Amino acid sequence: MLEKSLGLLFFLRNPSPYRKGPKLVFLIITVDGIPKELSLKRGWDKSRWNNHAGRASGTKEDAKSRNVYLDLILAKAHDARTKLIEKNQPITSMTIKEILTGAAERKRMFLKIFEEHNKEMEALVNKKEYSLATLERFTTAKNFLLDFLKSKYEVQDVNIHSLNLEFVKAFYLWLRTVRNCNHNTSIKYITNVKKIVLLSVAHGWLQNDPWALFDMKLDDVDTVFLTKEELEAIILKTFGTERSSIVRDVFIFCCLTGLAYTDIEKLKRDQLTIGIDGRLWINKRRQKSNKPFKVPLLEWTLDIINRYKDHQTCIETGNLLPVLSNSKYNDYLKEIAALCNINKDLTTHVARHTFATTVALLHGISLDVLKEMLGHSSIKQTEHYAKVLPIKVSIAMDELEKKLETSIFKTKRTEVPVATNIS
């Protein structure tokens, strides 16, 4: 940022309306020749004022005290200029005045900052830095916060300095009761809102996180996945309608690859490549996180692809499979679950959990490999998807027993001496 000239001068002015007595002390702030005046709301006798120095004259204690105060204002003005330079913000006489009066802080309204954040996010969606789904979550969170402010406080925005612990607790209660959200969903919305709070802290508009003491912990949730028997029941089931057969095939494809709905919906044929093993692989980036992931295709998935290579929808869209809308897909999955006697809430995302647990982890795929196949950023995310099944525990114990028999327990159990009861 180019250097800006800064002039600071204290002077006296008659109060308005005029009355006899002390005059008011003013500070004139001049940046690049543009002045702004600021009343310090302090009075002083004109006869005891040095116009040239812009200070109270004399050696009395009240004069010394007044000059100390003026020096403090002067230091704050220079500090305001330094902070504007550090933040790469425009340096004007008005911005310095607003910092000195606190007007800059008072006019920072939270929803306005939230809206600006979402606009920046929207601009970066096309640059693949954010997904459309992420933008929709932040938009929903902002709209919920607006509804909360209207119903709770009868206002349409709130100053950032009003964001105390009581505020976030009231917002959480509103989400749970008025919006009827469960605990985890409520916390996720608050997490979206808290990003804007932390953004305000990062900009220096807030001194610290006012929601730091609010418990953001999520409740543990039992993930839904299909067992091996349930998966086989869907694969082998004959359906009477084409739509059910298509939904079943798309669902099974996801169960064998781990793709989420947004990824299978937009999967193109040119995203299939030949891997280092000579097999066909899915090679693309996740729609949600833009993180790359690669998954080799099994024979079952190749059969499904070939089944729909000449399907009219695939020809028209260029997609690998004829995927229905998410709502219709989930509706038909519930029909499939009923027809296959599966007493589980079958959704598109159950397929991803089934791949992680029943298909991959159960058959020896390690968590670090599974992490890459699912396109996760951390093992912690993968652990949420993949659950250790009882059969895995049983197999592990069988292997442990065999190892113990050849190491620690070399003596046959029948040969272990039995204590004799001596009367």
Side-chain angles (χ1 to χ4, degrees), residues 61-73:
E61 285 301 319
D62 60 342
K64 292 180 180 179
S65 176
R66 181 51 43 88
N67 287 335
V68 168
Y69 174 73
L70 297 182
D71 288 339
L72 178 61
I73 296 296

Side-chain angles (χ1 to χ4, degrees), residues 49 92-93 96 175 228 240 246 300:
W49 181 261
T92 66
S93 51
I96 293 177
L175 289 169
K228 178 183 176 183
I246 291 175
W300 274 98

Side-chain angles (χ1 to χ4, degrees), residues 69-87:
Y69 174 73
L70 297 182
D71 288 339
L72 178 61
I73 296 296
L74 203 64
K76 285 184 176 181
H78 285 289
D79 184 59
R81 175 178 174 275
T82 300
K83 288 181 178 178
L84 290 171
I85 293 174
E86 291 173 350
K87 296 177 181 178

Side-chain angles (χ1 to χ4, degrees), residues 264-366:
I264 187 66
E265 181 193 26
K266 295 178 173 60
L267 185 61
K268 306 293 184 182
R269 186 168 291 275
D270 60 8
Q271 291 172 326
L272 302 183
T273 59
I274 302 298
I276 58 173
D277 55 0
R279 300 167 63 178
L280 206 58
W281 289 54
I282 296 174
N283 186 359
K284 70 187 297 287
R285 288 181 176 272
R286 286 208 64 202
Q287 184 72 18
K288 180 178 179 181
S289 62
N290 200 37
K291 182 176 175 58
F293 71 99
K294 299 179 181 180
V295 182
L297 294 177
L298 304 171
E299 289 298 326
W300 274 98
T301 52
L302 293 175
D303 289 343
I304 293 173
I305 290 173
N306 291 329
R307 195 174 302 157
Y308 295 99
K309 64 181 180 180
D310 297 323
H311 193 280
Q312 187 64 30
T313 300
C314 296
I315 294 173
E316 292 175 357
T317 62
N319 292 340
L320 199 64
L321 296 174
V323 183
L324 302 179
S325 68
N326 198 23
S327 59
K328 289 184 178 179
Y329 187 5
N330 282 322
D331 287 342
Y332 296 150
L333 281 177
K334 288 173 174 54
E335 293 182 9
I336 290 173
L339 291 170
C340 296
N341 296 317
I342 297 174
N343 189 25
K344 290 179 180 176
D345 185 17
L346 215 56
T347 65
T348 58
H349 213 58
V350 171
R352 192 160 163 83
H353 287 290
T354 300
F355 170 76
T357 300
T358 305
V359 175
L361 192 62
L362 180 61
H363 293 90
I365 299 295
S366 62

Side-chain angles (χ1 to χ4, degrees), residues 4 16-17 38 45 67 83 148 187 232 249 253 307 332 348 352 374 386 395 411 419:
K4 299 281 186 177
S16 180
L38 169 63
D45 189 343
N67 287 335
K83 288 181 178 178
F148 164 70
I187 293 300
E232 288 177 345
D249 289 343
F253 189 91
R307 195 174 302 157
Y332 296 150
T348 58
R352 192 160 163 83
L374 291 174
I395 292 172
T411 306

Side-chain angles (χ1 to χ4, degrees), residues 377-410:
S377 300
S378 67
I379 286 288
K380 186 175 181 179
Q381 285 179 282
T382 311
E383 289 172 343
H384 169 70
Y385 277 83
K387 302 299 180 183
V388 177
L389 300 173
I391 186 64
K392 284 288 288 183
V393 177
S394 178
I395 292 172
M397 286 302 292
D398 287 342
E399 294 176 354
L400 176 62
E401 186 172 43
K402 291 175 182 178
K403 292 178 180 179
L404 291 176
E405 289 289 352
T406 59
S407 59
I408 298 177
F409 303 123
K410 293 181 180 180

